[in-house]
Amino acid sequence: MPRDTPLLRYLQALHADLAAIDGGAVADYIPALASADPGTFGISIVTVNGTKYSVGDSDHAFTIQSVSKPFVYGMALTDRGVDDVRHRVGVEPTGDAFNSIRVDEESNRPFNPLVNTGAIVTTGLVRGDTEAAQWQRIVDGFESFTGRTLEVDEVVYASEAATGDRNRAIAYLMRNLGMLEGDPETILRLYFRQCSLLVTTDDLAVAAATLASGGRNPITGRRALDERLNEHILSVMQTCGMYDAAGAWAVDVGFPSKSGVSGAVVGVLPGQAGIAVYSPPLDGCGNSLRGIEVCRRLAGDFGLHPHRDRGHPAGVVRGAYRGGEARSTQTRTAAEYACIEAHGDDLTVVEVQGLVRFAEAEFLVGFVVDDPTRSRVVVLDGHRALLVDDHLLPMFAELADLLTAAGRTLVLAGFDAPGIPSGFDRLAMSFAQVDDAIEWWEDAVLATHFTGVGADVARPVTEQELLHGLAGDDLDAVLGALTYGALEPGAHLAREGKPADAVFFLLAGQVSVRLGTSLAPGSARVAAFGGGVAVGELALLEGGVRSASLVADTRVEFATLTVEDFTRISGERPTVRAVVMGNLARSLALRLRRANDRIRVLDR
Ligand code: GLN
């Protein structure tokens, strides 16, 4: 059962509507095609995400005919290279019928690979030492586009081979003009077989969606064609795909497409979807009447003309915030936070989202350069970026240079989507996650500006914020209950799910809070704590079990106060409980405020 969605319902209604179109004529110049049922009508759409929509006779198999031409052109380009192929087949639209015998008089070249003169030459260019090898190459090529095994309609093949005198004439003329190498009969057999491959609209929609996905089949995930050659094919389809109707098509519909005499039309919406229609009755130009109407209606109803204005480059910047507004997950002492926040304008984080193409890159670069704060450090947070066009690497390299010349630093963080070109993260200092970049900046600010005791120096336990305000015998009672310990990097201070029966005062080194059992660097790190800070302190409030693990990132020195001892001391000295709980409440309140700041920043 297909998924019931608005698009499926739309296609069902469209199919019902256009099934009423009468007229046109089923091609009969290949005798076996004349028996096609004019009422057969299928529509399929496959999105670049691989979602398929099929209505009507979408699994009816028919011969691919001229829709094969752009795909075989892609194979020839792959096998011979663009220059070699261009030498023998041009890329100019003709305004002629598909079987026109006219060639470019100056060069003797066929005008383009989508009319028969060019298509027959193109088929001859596909690699293979023998006819069988060439044929295997063609079949494999198609199957990489359809993702399904294909067969030949032997009846249609035999019918065209027996009657295709015009194509035979074309092949011999092409050899006479020096455009076709090898035996014309062999190449004609390959060409007729290629035209007789059996496909459905579901197959052709997958093939078209592959062209819409830069040459990568969205169902199999495998590349069928080099990305640059894919563009090349789409350009030729755009100008030459609809034979002599190409001009009107370009205005009314606009997206690259290809039709064939069996009644198929495929359309490609680059970056969006592939469309395939089958309905045998043809108009005077040899294009499927209903096929054309489906494309016209889709183009009009969904605004699919490729020249529509779709630019919203400002959307590339999701938001920006300063170093004073969002802390890293590295927890600091109150004095350190005060220092970081006082230098907040030293850092700007720009959140980048979606596709970064020419206009978006221009906007993003302008946003950074024009930012009146002129932060010394600018972090581009790319974890919501889906794509950076690889042609724009020099623009970002220039941005890095420009900032450096102004005494500023560009930092990249979180650019790891499949659409990010390799080498992008080498244009500037880069981090796996924006949190790492912010922490790096905070450390740099503290190293330069913090006048208190640094995190690398062990702090006396009496400096712990949780113990502030305790004095005399009260303080001594607590200090007397402490036990001291040390851990090597990677060791657990506490484990998720185990009883929460103690609070740890960190004296030196760093501990991180992690969810799950993985110890991989950066994995599920929720927060990190350094010397002077207490961890696991919620044990004093609720006991129960640990909700996360505490892992030593470096060598850690710490003091432990068990809940049992704390409860005992509190029983003897009620002020200890009051002071410690007051401190705990204050520290939680501060942490909550920072968490809220962060949510506000990330949410806007
Ligand atoms: N096999 C057909 C031919 O060359 C293909 C033509 C087409 O689909 N327009 O005549």
Side-chain angles (χ1 to χ4, degrees):
M1 249 320 258
R3 198 158 51 118
D4 186 19
T5 71
L7 180 55
L8 185 69
R9 289 177 184 209
Y10 168 90
L11 291 174
Q12 284 162 343
L14 182 69
H15 183 275
D17 203 10
L18 299 185
I21 292 183
D22 273 336
V26 175
D28 57 6
Y29 75 100
I30 300 173
L33 287 185
S35 59
D37 176 357
T40 312
F41 182 21
I43 306 174
S44 303
I45 292 183
V46 172
T47 69
V48 293
N49 297 319
T51 307
K52 192 190 284 181
Y53 297 87
S54 312
V55 297
D57 303 308
S58 56
D59 55 2
H60 174 86
F62 50 88
T63 55
I64 186 170
Q65 299 300 341
S66 282
V67 175
S68 64
K69 291 169 180 173
F71 298 100
V72 175
Y73 183 50
M75 298 170 208
L77 290 171
T78 304
D79 292 354
R80 300 283 185 145
V82 173
D83 291 342
D84 195 2
V85 175
R86 183 77 72 90
H87 220 66
R88 297 158 205 251
V89 185
V91 289
E92 299 305 328
T94 59
D96 287 346
F98 72 93
N99 55 7
S100 159
I101 287 182
R102 222 160 56 90
V103 294
D104 178 344
E105 275 168 24
E106 259 175 48
S107 63
N108 283 342
R109 272 187 320 181
F111 284 99
N112 68 65
L114 304 189
V115 289
N116 285 10
T117 47
I120 291 170
V121 172
T122 302
T123 297
L125 290 174
V126 171
R127 273 255 191 268
D129 293 337
T130 61
E131 183 176 345
Q134 277 184 294
W135 175 242
Q136 194 56 49
R137 160 76 181 122
I138 291 173
V139 174
D140 290 346
F142 275 109
E143 290 178 354
S144 66
F145 277 96
T146 60
R148 195 176 74 87
T149 312
L150 300 179
E151 275 160 26
V152 167
D153 184 327
E154 296 293 345
V155 175
V156 173
Y157 167 70
S159 179
E160 185 167 13
T163 59
D165 287 342
R166 193 178 176 95
N167 284 328
R168 200 158 273 118
I170 287 175
Y172 281 91
L173 176 64
M174 289 304 116
R175 185 170 69 165
N176 173 264
L177 293 175
M179 293 295 121
L180 190 104
E181 280 170 17
D183 171 28
E185 291 300 333
T186 304
I187 293 168
L188 282 164
R189 277 194 297 276
L190 289 168
Y191 171 73
F192 293 148
R193 285 192 89 76
Q194 129 197 353
C195 290
S196 303
L197 279 168
L198 281 166
V199 291
T200 64
T201 55
D202 281 353
D203 291 330
L204 290 183
V206 174
T210 302
L211 293 174
S213 308
R216 206 184 124 273
N217 185 315
I219 305 284
T220 66
R222 280 202 290 276
R223 181 157 291 285
L225 189 64
D226 171 80
E227 198 163 0
R228 183 70 195 90
L229 298 182
N230 193 75
E231 285 173 21
H232 189 131
I233 289 177
L234 290 180
S235 307
V236 176
M237 285 172 73
Q238 176 130 33
T239 52
C240 314
M242 303 303 277
Y243 307 117
D244 31 356
W249 182 269
V251 171
D252 298 341
V253 179
F255 51 76
S257 55
K258 184 72 198 90
S259 65
V261 287
S262 57
V265 177
V266 301
V268 180
L269 305 170
Q272 303 192 82
I275 301 167
V277 190
Y278 173 71
S279 165
L282 308 179
D283 68 8
C285 297
N287 297 322
S288 166
L289 266 181
R290 291 187 189 123
I292 284 186
E293 207 42 41
V294 168
C295 292
R296 269 184 210 280
R297 290 273 288 266
L298 283 169
D301 291 346
F302 293 109
L304 301 180
H305 197 288
H307 298 168
R308 274 170 62 94
D309 166 27
R310 287 198 180 78
H312 299 284
V316 71
V317 174
R318 181 176 186 272
Y321 54 91
R322 309 293 174 197
E325 293 176 279
R327 302 280 52 78
S328 73
T329 52
Q330 172 75 44
T331 305
R332 319 269 182 181
T333 63
E336 288 169 334
Y337 275 125
C339 173
I340 290 166
E341 278 155 26
H343 293 87
D345 283 353
D346 189 56
L347 169 73
T348 296
V349 178
V350 180
E351 297 172 295
V352 181
Q353 68 183 357
L355 311 180
V356 184
R357 296 165 300 194
F358 169 73
E360 288 84 11
E362 188 280 333
F363 181 87
L364 179 57
V365 166
F367 186 90
V368 170
V369 171
D370 297 342
D371 179 8
T373 307
R374 300 271 188 279
S375 299
R376 188 180 54 85
V377 175
V378 179
V379 173
L380 299 184
D381 171 9
H383 86 277
R384 288 190 182 83
L386 298 174
L387 173 143
V388 176
D389 190 313
D390 53 1
H391 296 81
L392 302 171
L393 258 57
M395 208 190 259
F396 284 97
E398 287 267 359
L399 174 65
D401 290 349
L402 214 97
L403 292 183
T404 305
R408 305 171 68 194
T409 304
L410 181 68
V411 176
L412 304 171
F415 284 90
D416 59 2
I420 308 299
S422 67
F424 185 72
D425 60 350
R426 289 195 294 278
L427 296 178
M429 184 191 313
S430 55
F431 293 90
Q433 292 169 18
V434 70
D435 185 59
D436 304 328
I438 296 176
E439 181 182 333
W440 163 81
W441 169 78
E442 289 170 351
D443 286 343
V445 167
L446 292 174
T448 318
H449 302 287
F450 189 60
T451 49
V453 183
D456 46 342
V457 178
R459 325 231 179 147
V461 73
T462 46
E463 278 187 14
Q464 288 282 328
E465 284 167 21
L466 221 50
L467 304 183
H468 277 182
L470 282 183
D473 292 348
D474 285 344
L475 182 59
D476 288 343
V478 173
L479 296 181
L482 298 178
T483 55
Y484 290 83
L487 286 177
E488 293 306 315
H492 276 77
L493 188 56
R495 283 182 193 271
E496 190 173 332
K498 293 280 187 273
D501 54 7
V503 55
F504 307 104
F505 297 112
L506 299 182
L507 308 175
Q510 176 171 299
V511 163
S512 63
V513 180
R514 286 163 191 269
L515 295 178
T517 47
S518 170
L519 287 183
S523 78
R525 173 176 130 171
V526 181
F529 299 88
V533 176
V535 289
E537 72 280 34
L538 295 185
L540 298 181
L541 285 178
E542 52 186 12
V545 295
R546 300 282 181 201
S547 56
S549 294
L550 297 170
V551 181
D553 294 334
T554 61
R555 189 185 140 79
V556 169
E557 289 170 33
F558 63 97
T560 306
L561 174 63
T562 66
V563 172
E564 198 186 327
D565 282 340
F566 179 68
T567 309
R568 179 180 49 75
I569 296 169
S570 300
E572 294 160 5
R573 304 170 172 277
T575 48
V576 169
R577 178 168 207 93
V579 169
V580 170
M581 287 301 170
N583 288 338
L584 181 54
R586 229 179 329 275
S587 105
L588 291 178
L590 275 174
R591 224 179 285 173
L592 184 60
R593 182 173 66 73
R594 274 181 221 110
N596 284 343
D597 283 352
R598 196 174 169 83
I599 289 168
R600 230 191 319 280
V601 159
L602 298 179
D603 217 37
R604 72 187 170 208

